[in-house]
Amino acid sequence: MDYRRLGDTGLSVSELCLGTWRFGRETNGVVETGREEAHELLDAAADRGINFVDTANVYGTPNGKSETYIGEWLADRDREDYVIASKVYFPFDGRGEPGPNDSGLGRKHIRAQIEGTLDRLDTDYLDVYYIHRWDEDTPIEETMRALDELVAEGKVHHLGASTMAAWRLTKAQWTADVNGYAGFDVVQPLHHAGYYEDVKEYLDVCIDQELAVCPYSPLAGGFLTGKYERVAGDPYTVEAPDGSRAALSERFDDFYVSARGWRVLDEIRAVAAEVDASPAQVSLRWLMDHDAFTCVPIVGARTVDQLDENAGAVGVSLSADQFERIGEARYDDEGRRWGHQD
């Protein structure tokens, strides 16, 4: 495993980050990753050199279970060997029915949630603390000041931002700059080979601000692994194996599947055959090879075998031509971008 600087920080992270949103999560009454399986995945990730672990206060059923699993696992290891990221914004169900201040990015909610997160993770600090979404009801100045206080107190080392519009990311960075607050060092958008153009303006801000990019769903919910096949005559529907993400999620077809996606996947499969790698490994390598910004994909493996396959991406090499072919597959013969169903 190789390591790289996280954007413009002094923090070194593995080329892949382990995502834990499935830890303790129940979908249609089925627990996707239980405690033993979670610890097995964390062990496997550490054994393969992955030192970067991503979670959130609301991951798990009930909320907080993912952080608890990680905290239990960390208790038997040296905390300083790992880079731990969590998030804040959504209502936290651990207190029962949410109250009027139990969500968003106001100082009261941020303060309450950082304490709960640190307690469940059994740690004194977070390496990265993301805002999980943008809060339209709280002035960004209040949010950035509250986050800056956490950095000043040593409870958080670096700040991150997840999904939001490019102009809002710019506004947050400007607010931090003019007030002398800590700004964002890393972002976490939805980003994969079949989806790149949708976040181009967002990524342009990241390049300008030297922000690291840690994309979630880098394999498009499993679509870019190549395990799904087209339904004849319908480019927006897949044949889904039992227990797969597409079979469990009603949103899968609308969220990940597109005519552009199939074209990109076809090219990824062709490149994979050329470099003797799997489509998943090529998809991850394509992200890691972006040179305009540091890109560390978040992989949400459900089994050790899946994690092994994902980790194999670090040993894959793509030529400049292969990299460009995957990017160009997003466009038709007349240079128009293929879009989603809408």
Side-chain angles (χ1 to χ4, degrees):
M1 181 66 64
D2 290 329
Y3 299 86
R4 50 183 60 180
R5 292 291 180 180
L6 193 64
D8 197 30
T9 76
L11 194 61
S12 292
V13 299
S14 48
E15 289 187 292
L16 293 172
C17 175
L18 179 66
T20 65
W21 75 278
R22 287 191 175 101
F23 285 12
R25 174 187 174 90
E26 291 185 15
T27 302
N28 298 325
V30 178
V31 177
E32 297 194 31
T33 303
R35 181 179 182 276
E36 291 185 6
E37 292 83 4
H39 287 181
E40 183 180 16
L41 283 167
L42 288 163
D43 284 340
D47 291 344
R48 287 150 185 78
I50 295 175
N51 73 337
F52 194 7
V53 179
D54 179 87
T55 188
N57 61 335
V58 293
Y59 290 172
T61 309
N63 294 164
K65 189 167 285 188
S66 175
E67 290 179 330
T68 298
Y69 286 175
I70 296 167
E72 292 169 345
W73 179 81
L74 276 175
D76 296 325
R77 293 178 174 265
D78 188 339
R79 169 67 178 89
E80 295 306 312
D81 289 339
Y82 300 96
V83 175
I84 308 297
S86 194
K87 309 177 187 74
V88 62
Y89 170 78
F90 290 108
F92 184 81
D93 67 15
R95 292 190 345 112
E97 188 69 23
N101 293 300
D102 286 342
S103 65
L105 298 175
R107 177 179 283 103
K108 183 176 179 64
H109 187 238
I110 289 174
R111 281 287 183 177
Q113 291 306 307
I114 188 64
E115 296 303 330
T117 285
L118 295 178
D119 182 62
R120 287 185 293 274
L121 289 168
D122 194 20
T123 184
D124 295 327
Y125 69 93
L126 286 177
D127 295 284
V128 180
Y129 201 31
Y130 290 97
I131 59 170
H132 214 156
R133 293 292 187 273
W134 180 272
D135 183 353
E136 296 183 359
D137 297 322
T138 300
I140 189 60
E141 195 278 336
E142 176 179 337
T143 297
M144 299 309 295
R145 182 177 181 183
L147 294 172
D148 178 72
E149 291 168 357
L150 299 184
V151 174
E153 294 166 11
K155 294 181 177 181
V156 172
H157 287 172
H158 300 284
L159 301 176
S162 190
T163 303
M164 65 177 65
W167 70 267
R168 284 175 164 164
L169 177 59
T170 302
K171 181 177 181 178
Q173 291 295 82
W174 178 85
T175 300
D177 184 56
V178 298
N179 287 285
Y181 301 151
F184 296 126
D185 294 311
V186 56
V187 297
Q188 191 177 125
L190 174 62
H191 178 33
H192 55 73
Y195 199 68
Y196 174 88
E197 196 69 14
D198 301 278
V199 291
K200 183 180 184 304
E201 290 185 359
Y202 186 93
L203 295 178
D204 285 343
V205 176
C206 298
I207 294 168
D208 178 74
Q209 295 291 301
E210 298 184 13
L211 305 180
V213 178
C214 295
Y216 71 90
S217 290
L219 298 176
F223 177 78
L224 293 180
T225 66
K227 66 183 177 183
Y228 300 112
E229 297 296 337
R230 296 171 176 84
V231 171
D234 184 357
Y236 300 102
T237 306
V238 299
E239 295 181 359
D242 291 341
S244 67
R245 178 88 168 272
L248 291 172
S249 174
E250 296 178 355
R251 299 177 59 205
F252 184 89
D253 288 358
D254 292 338
F255 206 54
Y256 294 115
V257 184
S258 67
R260 179 170 77 252
W262 288 117
R263 286 171 57 90
V264 169
L265 179 56
D266 286 343
E267 197 60 51
I268 285 173
R269 282 170 163 160
V271 171
E274 294 166 8
V275 300
D276 192 23
S278 71
Q281 291 167 341
V282 169
S283 298
L284 293 171
R285 187 74 254 178
W286 184 83
L287 286 168
M288 294 154 63
D289 280 354
H290 280 73
D291 57 10
F293 51 84
T294 303
C295 190
V296 181
I298 300 172
V299 294
R302 297 181 66 181
T303 67
V304 172
D305 285 344
Q306 288 180 353
L307 182 62
D308 273 335
E309 181 182 3
N310 293 340
V314 303
V316 174
S317 295
L318 301 182
S319 68
D321 176 69
Q322 289 166 334
F323 181 90
E324 291 299 324
R325 280 164 50 196
I326 293 171
E328 290 170 359
R330 300 191 306 272
Y331 301 91
D332 66 17
D333 293 338
E334 297 181 4
R336 295 173 300 193
R337 180 168 58 85
W338 290 79
H340 279 349
Q341 191 169 11
D342 59 3

